[in-house]
Amino acid sequence: QMLRCYVNHPDAPPRENPLTHFDFFLALSFFRMAAIAQGVYKRSRQGNASSAQASRYGQFAEFAAALGNKVLAASASTRTTPW
């Protein structure tokens, strides 16, 4: 769904290669998951969590952010032009 919105956006790159910036959006999705998980973890620390498992989300936030960083690092090492 995100890719479809990106490809159909008027400022999107030419359609012959709609995946040009896919790595950016993949990293963005990992960072978004990390931010959500961090919010869940914060609520668990405040005693306001909706789940007994919420304290585990802190570890997931770190993991998701690390994945986002790995995607960007891999992309930077293979990209020939700057974003």
Side-chain angles (χ1 to χ4, degrees):
Q1 183 181 13
M2 180 187 280
L3 181 59
R4 188 177 321 114
C5 289
Y6 171 71
V7 170
N8 292 328
H9 192 276
D11 295 331
R15 289 185 187 257
E16 57 268 5
N17 189 6
L19 299 179
T20 301
H21 301 289
F22 180 74
D23 46 359
F24 169 79
F25 288 100
L26 180 60
L28 180 65
S29 69
F30 284 127
F31 291 133
R32 183 173 184 260
M33 285 190 293
I36 292 168
Q38 184 64 31
V40 172
Y41 177 67
K42 178 185 175 188
R43 286 191 299 280
S44 78
R45 301 275 301 179
Q46 294 173 332
N48 191 23
S50 61
S51 168
Q53 305 299 320
S55 62
R56 295 182 177 180
Y57 278 74
Q59 292 174 340
F60 179 74
E62 290 179 28
F63 177 72
L67 283 176
N69 281 329
K70 283 183 182 182
V71 168
L72 289 181
S75 172
S77 67
T78 60
R79 188 167 295 278
T80 58
T81 58
W83 301 20

